[in-house]
Amino acid sequence: MLGESMEFREIAVIGLGYIGLPTAIMFANSGLKVIGYEIREEVVEKINAGRAHISEPEINTLLKRAVESGNLRATSNPEDIKGKDAYIICVQTPLKSDGSPDLSYLESAVDTVAGAMEKGALIVIESTVPPMTTLRMAERIKRATGMKAGRDFYMVHAPERVMPGRIFKELVYNSRIFGGITPDGAELAEKLYRAFVKGRTFKTSSTVSEVVKLMENTFRDVNIALANEFAFLAHQYGINVFEAIELANTHPRVRIHTPGIGVGGHCLPKDPHLLLWPAREDFGLIRLAREINDSMPLFTKDLLFSALRELNIPPGEAVIAVLGLAYKGDSDDTRNSPALAFVDAIKDDVGEVRTYDPFVGGTAGTLEEALEGADAAVIATDHSAFREINWDEAGKLMRARILVDGRHVVERPPRGFLFKGIGRGDL
Ligand code: SAJ
């Protein structure tokens, strides 16, 4: 068996993206020697210069400290990661166009580690993966090196749960799960992460850990779909779904989510598919929830077109200002953004689409530019700035005054506007 008194001195983090880089920084600033392996040369150079390629509060300060202490270095040379005590794999696991998982990044990272690791190494996969993938990756290493997980090295799945914008706090204080192919692997991983994790830690098997991560995001996706279905019903019953949700959530054991223009990001739209992918059969709820959430941009289009009809504005002549492109408020991330799906859904059926997003940019450089002469404004992202808009002033810029709220940003319909909001069956 492997030595029990393993002390971690030097570790490698494979993949320096929005999870890998903060994780590498946390380990380095906790005193470990960290080599970050990254195939994108330009990212390696930026990191070694103490400049982060991702936007996250505090990251540049913390990165500079890690690099200047000599504890963190980035490289794209696999030779530099040979013989480390631990390898932490944080690479993306996107979906292919047919909806199946693309594990090529993970397989390539595992192959790189297989070529560098020595006996006794701990390998941690942080990536979100289909159930049983960690076991398959251990087999992949055995085929390449003859080394067996549990006997010659440790293999663990340890998913992250951080929310962009709060990554460094959540890396420290969120609870953490370590799923080992063998229990001693989970023990060792827990010991390694205690370098900075202050939250509660739990140990289990690698497959349970993989399923837990996918259940968390699937739970959220299904509950958002339920909230969206409540919004559809609110339109049929002539009520304000947000008033109803607020009242229902006064129940001690009810937590209804928020209806909106859709579910974006690179996690929720993908993870339910990863959860179901190896299953021999499923029962439909999880897939149906995905369909409901993916239908929300079209539902928002229906609200817009019903407003254009009420004002007898031919859609083909209408100028539409879409406010927000990011998948969620105060973020610049547009991955799988429902706002982009909405722009796609209307662009061939209206006269002109203008887009404005304070974090992402857009065809209009300012809100005023987007609204000048527009017939309708559609709020597609819940950026805080959009809650401050003075619609009396904004309305003066517009040709017609239609406001469609896709993210429950506007509480009361502004004076002089034809207002439509998802779930606002009361209007
Ligand atoms: N959304 C709604 N209604 C809601 C909540 C969210 O429509 O009530 C929408 C958002 O606008 C956004 C999408 O869903 O478009 C996803 O939002 P999110 O708040 O879930 O954000 P993510 O995807 O950045 O983060 C999730 C988090 N998972 C959970 O909260 C269970 C985060 O903790 C995970 O670490 C992350 O996925 C991940 O990386 O898996």
mmCIF file of all heavy atoms in Angstrom, residues 336-372:
data_model
loop_
_atom_site.group_PDB
_atom_site.id
_atom_site.type_symbol
_atom_site.label_atom_id
_atom_site.label_comp_id
_atom_site.label_asym_id
_atom_site.label_seq_id
_atom_site.Cartn_x
_atom_site.Cartn_y
_atom_site.Cartn_z
ATOM 1 N N ASN A 336 -24.160 29.961 -23.234
ATOM 2 C CA ASN A 336 -25.538 29.457 -23.241
ATOM 3 C C ASN A 336 -26.545 30.499 -22.749
ATOM 4 O O ASN A 336 -27.557 30.152 -22.154
ATOM 5 C CB ASN A 336 -25.654 28.206 -22.352
ATOM 6 C CG ASN A 336 -24.737 27.090 -22.816
ATOM 7 O OD1 ASN A 336 -24.733 26.746 -23.993
ATOM 8 N ND2 ASN A 336 -23.916 26.575 -21.923
ATOM 9 N N SER A 337 -26.233 31.777 -22.966
ATOM 10 C CA SER A 337 -27.116 32.810 -22.428
ATOM 11 C C SER A 337 -28.477 32.805 -23.113
ATOM 12 O O SER A 337 -28.560 32.841 -24.346
ATOM 13 C CB SER A 337 -26.480 34.192 -22.606
ATOM 14 O OG SER A 337 -27.415 35.183 -22.214
ATOM 15 N N PRO A 338 -29.583 32.768 -22.325
ATOM 16 C CA PRO A 338 -30.918 32.833 -22.930
ATOM 17 C C PRO A 338 -31.151 34.164 -23.655
ATOM 18 O O PRO A 338 -31.952 34.243 -24.582
ATOM 19 C CB PRO A 338 -31.860 32.683 -21.744
ATOM 20 C CG PRO A 338 -31.051 32.748 -20.526
ATOM 21 C CD PRO A 338 -29.627 32.562 -20.883
ATOM 22 N N ALA A 339 -30.396 35.202 -23.272
ATOM 23 C CA ALA A 339 -30.536 36.494 -23.959
ATOM 24 C C ALA A 339 -30.109 36.354 -25.419
ATOM 25 O O ALA A 339 -30.740 36.895 -26.326
ATOM 26 C CB ALA A 339 -29.684 37.550 -23.253
ATOM 27 N N LEU A 340 -29.031 35.585 -25.632
ATOM 28 C CA LEU A 340 -28.567 35.357 -27.015
ATOM 29 C C LEU A 340 -29.587 34.510 -27.773
ATOM 30 O O LEU A 340 -29.877 34.756 -28.951
ATOM 31 C CB LEU A 340 -27.200 34.664 -27.006
ATOM 32 C CG LEU A 340 -26.046 35.457 -26.380
ATOM 33 C CD1 LEU A 340 -24.749 34.634 -26.426
ATOM 34 C CD2 LEU A 340 -25.850 36.803 -27.075
ATOM 35 N N ALA A 341 -30.185 33.551 -27.085
ATOM 36 C CA ALA A 341 -31.222 32.709 -27.730
ATOM 37 C C ALA A 341 -32.410 33.579 -28.106
ATOM 38 O O ALA A 341 -33.016 33.425 -29.173
ATOM 39 C CB ALA A 341 -31.646 31.587 -26.782
ATOM 40 N N PHE A 342 -32.730 34.551 -27.254
ATOM 41 C CA PHE A 342 -33.854 35.459 -27.537
ATOM 42 C C PHE A 342 -33.555 36.333 -28.751
ATOM 43 O O PHE A 342 -34.382 36.478 -29.664
ATOM 44 C CB PHE A 342 -34.140 36.336 -26.308
ATOM 45 C CG PHE A 342 -35.178 37.389 -26.550
ATOM 46 C CD1 PHE A 342 -36.524 37.043 -26.630
ATOM 47 C CD2 PHE A 342 -34.821 38.718 -26.730
ATOM 48 C CE1 PHE A 342 -37.500 38.009 -26.879
ATOM 49 C CE2 PHE A 342 -35.784 39.689 -26.985
ATOM 50 C CZ PHE A 342 -37.124 39.326 -27.058
ATOM 51 N N VAL A 343 -32.327 36.871 -28.812
ATOM 52 C CA VAL A 343 -31.939 37.702 -29.976
ATOM 53 C C VAL A 343 -32.052 36.866 -31.248
ATOM 54 O O VAL A 343 -32.628 37.280 -32.253
ATOM 55 C CB VAL A 343 -30.502 38.246 -29.803
ATOM 56 C CG1 VAL A 343 -29.989 38.849 -31.105
ATOM 57 C CG2 VAL A 343 -30.456 39.280 -28.680
ATOM 58 N N ASP A 344 -31.576 35.616 -31.162
ATOM 59 C CA ASP A 344 -31.675 34.718 -32.331
ATOM 60 C C ASP A 344 -33.125 34.504 -32.746
ATOM 61 O O ASP A 344 -33.474 34.467 -33.916
ATOM 62 C CB ASP A 344 -31.082 33.347 -31.964
ATOM 63 C CG ASP A 344 -29.611 33.284 -32.343
ATOM 64 O OD1 ASP A 344 -29.133 34.249 -32.986
ATOM 65 O OD2 ASP A 344 -28.952 32.283 -32.014
ATOM 66 N N ALA A 345 -34.000 34.392 -31.736
ATOM 67 C CA ALA A 345 -35.413 34.055 -32.006
ATOM 68 C C ALA A 345 -36.161 35.207 -32.667
ATOM 69 O O ALA A 345 -37.117 34.987 -33.410
ATOM 70 C CB ALA A 345 -36.096 33.666 -30.701
ATOM 71 N N ILE A 346 -35.710 36.454 -32.433
ATOM 72 C CA ILE A 346 -36.493 37.579 -32.991
ATOM 73 C C ILE A 346 -35.826 38.231 -34.206
ATOM 74 O O ILE A 346 -36.491 38.899 -35.001
ATOM 75 C CB ILE A 346 -36.746 38.674 -31.920
ATOM 76 C CG1 ILE A 346 -35.436 39.372 -31.501
ATOM 77 C CG2 ILE A 346 -37.487 38.135 -30.715
ATOM 78 C CD1 ILE A 346 -35.662 40.630 -30.667
ATOM 79 N N LYS A 347 -34.519 37.992 -34.378
ATOM 80 C CA LYS A 347 -33.771 38.868 -35.312
ATOM 81 C C LYS A 347 -34.304 38.815 -36.750
ATOM 82 O O LYS A 347 -34.286 39.807 -37.474
ATOM 83 C CB LYS A 347 -32.275 38.567 -35.272
ATOM 84 C CG LYS A 347 -31.846 37.232 -35.830
ATOM 85 C CD LYS A 347 -30.318 37.111 -35.710
ATOM 86 C CE LYS A 347 -29.751 35.889 -36.387
ATOM 87 N NZ LYS A 347 -30.356 34.618 -36.036
ATOM 88 N N ASP A 348 -34.848 37.682 -37.180
ATOM 89 C CA ASP A 348 -35.347 37.617 -38.572
ATOM 90 C C ASP A 348 -36.787 38.093 -38.695
ATOM 91 O O ASP A 348 -37.326 38.157 -39.806
ATOM 92 C CB ASP A 348 -35.242 36.166 -39.087
ATOM 93 C CG ASP A 348 -33.785 35.700 -39.090
ATOM 94 O OD1 ASP A 348 -32.893 36.576 -39.218
ATOM 95 O OD2 ASP A 348 -33.544 34.486 -38.895
ATOM 96 N N ASP A 349 -37.441 38.383 -37.542
ATOM 97 C CA ASP A 349 -38.871 38.717 -37.622
ATOM 98 C C ASP A 349 -39.158 40.166 -37.258
ATOM 99 O O ASP A 349 -40.313 40.576 -37.218
ATOM 100 C CB ASP A 349 -39.669 37.797 -36.664
ATOM 101 C CG ASP A 349 -39.439 36.331 -36.999
ATOM 102 O OD1 ASP A 349 -39.237 36.051 -38.200
ATOM 103 O OD2 ASP A 349 -39.415 35.504 -36.090
ATOM 104 N N VAL A 350 -38.098 40.933 -36.934
ATOM 105 C CA VAL A 350 -38.349 42.341 -36.582
ATOM 106 C C VAL A 350 -37.501 43.231 -37.490
ATOM 107 O O VAL A 350 -36.614 42.746 -38.206
ATOM 108 C CB VAL A 350 -38.001 42.617 -35.086
ATOM 109 C CG1 VAL A 350 -38.912 41.805 -34.166
ATOM 110 C CG2 VAL A 350 -36.523 42.329 -34.795
ATOM 111 N N GLY A 351 -37.755 44.533 -37.435
ATOM 112 C CA GLY A 351 -37.036 45.471 -38.308
ATOM 113 C C GLY A 351 -35.580 45.573 -37.936
ATOM 114 O O GLY A 351 -34.693 45.449 -38.778
ATOM 115 N N GLU A 352 -35.311 45.763 -36.630
ATOM 116 C CA GLU A 352 -33.910 45.946 -36.195
ATOM 117 C C GLU A 352 -33.781 45.502 -34.746
ATOM 118 O O GLU A 352 -34.694 45.747 -33.941
ATOM 119 C CB GLU A 352 -33.526 47.426 -36.293
ATOM 120 C CG GLU A 352 -32.084 47.728 -35.874
ATOM 121 C CD GLU A 352 -31.818 49.240 -35.704
ATOM 122 O OE1 GLU A 352 -32.683 50.045 -36.120
ATOM 123 O OE2 GLU A 352 -30.775 49.597 -35.110
ATOM 124 N N VAL A 353 -32.680 44.827 -34.439
ATOM 125 C CA VAL A 353 -32.396 44.452 -33.037
ATOM 126 C C VAL A 353 -31.141 45.188 -32.595
ATOM 127 O O VAL A 353 -30.119 45.127 -33.281
ATOM 128 C CB VAL A 353 -32.149 42.930 -32.884
ATOM 129 C CG1 VAL A 353 -31.833 42.599 -31.423
ATOM 130 C CG2 VAL A 353 -33.374 42.140 -33.338
ATOM 131 N N ARG A 354 -31.264 45.933 -31.503
ATOM 132 C CA ARG A 354 -30.061 46.533 -30.919
ATOM 133 C C ARG A 354 -29.793 45.814 -29.597
ATOM 134 O O ARG A 354 -30.732 45.426 -28.911
ATOM 135 C CB ARG A 354 -30.305 48.013 -30.630
ATOM 136 C CG ARG A 354 -30.566 48.829 -31.874
ATOM 137 C CD ARG A 354 -30.836 50.229 -31.484
ATOM 138 N NE ARG A 354 -31.357 51.041 -32.590
ATOM 139 C CZ ARG A 354 -32.145 52.092 -32.374
ATOM 140 N NH1 ARG A 354 -32.501 52.385 -31.125
ATOM 141 N NH2 ARG A 354 -32.564 52.826 -33.379
ATOM 142 N N THR A 355 -28.518 45.662 -29.257
ATOM 143 C CA THR A 355 -28.206 44.999 -27.986
ATOM 144 C C THR A 355 -27.300 45.907 -27.166
ATOM 145 O O THR A 355 -26.449 46.620 -27.715
ATOM 146 C CB THR A 355 -27.469 43.666 -28.229
ATOM 147 O OG1 THR A 355 -26.277 43.937 -28.990
ATOM 148 C CG2 THR A 355 -28.350 42.674 -28.984
ATOM 149 N N TYR A 356 -27.534 45.875 -25.845
ATOM 150 C CA TYR A 356 -26.696 46.666 -24.943
ATOM 151 C C TYR A 356 -26.492 45.878 -23.658
ATOM 152 O O TYR A 356 -27.451 45.356 -23.076
ATOM 153 C CB TYR A 356 -27.354 48.009 -24.614
ATOM 154 C CG TYR A 356 -26.669 48.704 -23.451
ATOM 155 C CD1 TYR A 356 -25.387 49.243 -23.605
ATOM 156 C CD2 TYR A 356 -27.265 48.767 -22.176
ATOM 157 C CE1 TYR A 356 -24.724 49.839 -22.542
ATOM 158 C CE2 TYR A 356 -26.611 49.347 -21.113
ATOM 159 C CZ TYR A 356 -25.343 49.880 -21.284
ATOM 160 O OH TYR A 356 -24.692 50.458 -20.226
ATOM 161 N N ASP A 357 -25.225 45.729 -23.227
ATOM 162 C CA ASP A 357 -24.942 45.041 -21.959
ATOM 163 C C ASP A 357 -23.723 45.730 -21.335
ATOM 164 O O ASP A 357 -22.643 45.737 -21.936
ATOM 165 C CB ASP A 357 -24.644 43.549 -22.210
ATOM 166 C CG ASP A 357 -24.459 42.786 -20.892
ATOM 167 O OD1 ASP A 357 -23.584 43.209 -20.098
ATOM 168 O OD2 ASP A 357 -25.165 41.797 -20.663
ATOM 169 N N PRO A 358 -23.865 46.302 -20.140
ATOM 170 C CA PRO A 358 -22.755 47.044 -19.528
ATOM 171 C C PRO A 358 -21.527 46.182 -19.252
ATOM 172 O O PRO A 358 -20.424 46.688 -19.113
ATOM 173 C CB PRO A 358 -23.368 47.590 -18.231
ATOM 174 C CG PRO A 358 -24.580 46.766 -17.965
ATOM 175 C CD PRO A 358 -25.066 46.279 -19.295
ATOM 176 N N PHE A 359 -21.714 44.856 -19.193
ATOM 177 C CA PHE A 359 -20.563 43.986 -18.905
ATOM 178 C C PHE A 359 -20.009 43.356 -20.172
ATOM 179 O O PHE A 359 -18.826 43.033 -20.274
ATOM 180 C CB PHE A 359 -20.978 42.848 -17.956
ATOM 181 C CG PHE A 359 -21.256 43.296 -16.558
ATOM 182 C CD1 PHE A 359 -22.484 43.858 -16.240
ATOM 183 C CD2 PHE A 359 -20.302 43.185 -15.563
ATOM 184 C CE1 PHE A 359 -22.748 44.302 -14.952
ATOM 185 C CE2 PHE A 359 -20.565 43.614 -14.262
ATOM 186 C CZ PHE A 359 -21.798 44.170 -13.956
ATOM 187 N N VAL A 360 -20.906 43.153 -21.165
ATOM 188 C CA VAL A 360 -20.503 42.385 -22.341
ATOM 189 C C VAL A 360 -20.282 43.288 -23.547
ATOM 190 O O VAL A 360 -19.490 42.981 -24.436
ATOM 191 C CB VAL A 360 -21.611 41.344 -22.679
ATOM 192 C CG1 VAL A 360 -21.275 40.565 -23.942
ATOM 193 C CG2 VAL A 360 -21.817 40.387 -21.514
ATOM 194 N N GLY A 361 -20.964 44.444 -23.560
ATOM 195 C CA GLY A 361 -20.938 45.286 -24.760
ATOM 196 C C GLY A 361 -22.212 45.005 -25.546
ATOM 197 O O GLY A 361 -23.221 44.601 -24.996
ATOM 198 N N GLY A 362 -22.180 45.222 -26.838
ATOM 199 C CA GLY A 362 -23.359 44.996 -27.678
ATOM 200 C C GLY A 362 -23.285 45.904 -28.898
ATOM 201 O O GLY A 362 -22.317 46.635 -29.074
ATOM 202 N N THR A 363 -24.343 45.899 -29.716
ATOM 203 C CA THR A 363 -24.301 46.761 -30.920
ATOM 204 C C THR A 363 -24.397 48.223 -30.503
ATOM 205 O O THR A 363 -23.941 49.104 -31.217
ATOM 206 C CB THR A 363 -25.494 46.436 -31.843
ATOM 207 O OG1 THR A 363 -26.701 46.680 -31.090
ATOM 208 C CG2 THR A 363 -25.469 44.978 -32.280
ATOM 209 N N ALA A 364 -24.984 48.491 -29.348
ATOM 210 C CA ALA A 364 -25.069 49.883 -28.851
ATOM 211 C C ALA A 364 -24.070 50.057 -27.708
ATOM 212 O O ALA A 364 -23.967 49.208 -26.830
ATOM 213 C CB ALA A 364 -26.490 50.161 -28.349
ATOM 214 N N GLY A 365 -23.368 51.170 -27.743
ATOM 215 C CA GLY A 365 -22.343 51.409 -26.716
ATOM 216 C C GLY A 365 -22.943 51.927 -25.413
ATOM 217 O O GLY A 365 -22.376 51.772 -24.352
ATOM 218 N N THR A 366 -24.133 52.530 -25.525
ATOM 219 C CA THR A 366 -24.769 53.043 -24.298
ATOM 220 C C THR A 366 -26.242 52.660 -24.299
ATOM 221 O O THR A 366 -26.801 52.313 -25.346
ATOM 222 C CB THR A 366 -24.711 54.589 -24.244
ATOM 223 O OG1 THR A 366 -25.519 55.070 -25.349
ATOM 224 C CG2 THR A 366 -23.276 55.095 -24.358
ATOM 225 N N LEU A 367 -26.848 52.766 -23.137
ATOM 226 C CA LEU A 367 -28.280 52.468 -23.009
ATOM 227 C C LEU A 367 -29.072 53.436 -23.888
ATOM 228 O O LEU A 367 -29.999 53.033 -24.616
ATOM 229 C CB LEU A 367 -28.695 52.616 -21.547
ATOM 230 C CG LEU A 367 -30.176 52.424 -21.238
ATOM 231 C CD1 LEU A 367 -30.606 50.984 -21.496
ATOM 232 C CD2 LEU A 367 -30.475 52.798 -19.786
ATOM 233 N N GLU A 368 -28.670 54.696 -23.874
ATOM 234 C CA GLU A 368 -29.386 55.718 -24.636
ATOM 235 C C GLU A 368 -29.360 55.375 -26.133
ATOM 236 O O GLU A 368 -30.370 55.462 -26.828
ATOM 237 C CB GLU A 368 -28.782 57.109 -24.399
ATOM 238 C CG GLU A 368 -29.002 57.660 -22.989
ATOM 239 C CD GLU A 368 -28.232 56.893 -21.917
ATOM 240 O OE1 GLU A 368 -27.230 56.229 -22.264
ATOM 241 O OE2 GLU A 368 -28.685 56.891 -20.755
ATOM 242 N N GLU A 369 -28.169 54.945 -26.587
ATOM 243 C CA GLU A 369 -28.016 54.595 -28.007
ATOM 244 C C GLU A 369 -28.967 53.439 -28.350
ATOM 245 O O GLU A 369 -29.594 53.426 -29.409
ATOM 246 C CB GLU A 369 -26.575 54.122 -28.213
ATOM 247 C CG GLU A 369 -25.895 54.550 -29.493
ATOM 248 C CD GLU A 369 -24.469 53.992 -29.511
ATOM 249 O OE1 GLU A 369 -23.640 54.450 -28.704
ATOM 250 O OE2 GLU A 369 -24.245 53.059 -30.309
ATOM 251 N N ALA A 370 -29.084 52.487 -27.438
ATOM 252 C CA ALA A 370 -29.958 51.331 -27.696
ATOM 253 C C ALA A 370 -31.416 51.762 -27.747
ATOM 254 O O ALA A 370 -32.196 51.257 -28.551
ATOM 255 C CB ALA A 370 -29.736 50.288 -26.610
ATOM 256 N N LEU A 371 -31.809 52.708 -26.898
ATOM 257 C CA LEU A 371 -33.225 53.072 -26.764
ATOM 258 C C LEU A 371 -33.668 54.144 -27.758
ATOM 259 O O LEU A 371 -34.845 54.250 -28.070
ATOM 260 C CB LEU A 371 -33.502 53.557 -25.339
ATOM 261 C CG LEU A 371 -33.358 52.506 -24.235
ATOM 262 C CD1 LEU A 371 -33.526 53.147 -22.872
ATOM 263 C CD2 LEU A 371 -34.362 51.378 -24.433
ATOM 264 N N GLU A 372 -32.722 54.917 -28.285
ATOM 265 C CA GLU A 372 -33.060 56.029 -29.194
ATOM 266 C C GLU A 372 -33.912 55.526 -30.367
ATOM 267 O O GLU A 372 -33.457 54.714 -31.180
ATOM 268 C CB GLU A 372 -31.757 56.644 -29.715
ATOM 269 C CG GLU A 372 -31.946 57.821 -30.661
ATOM 270 C CD GLU A 372 -32.578 59.021 -29.951
ATOM 271 O OE1 GLU A 372 -32.133 59.333 -28.827
ATOM 272 O OE2 GLU A 372 -33.557 59.593 -30.503
#
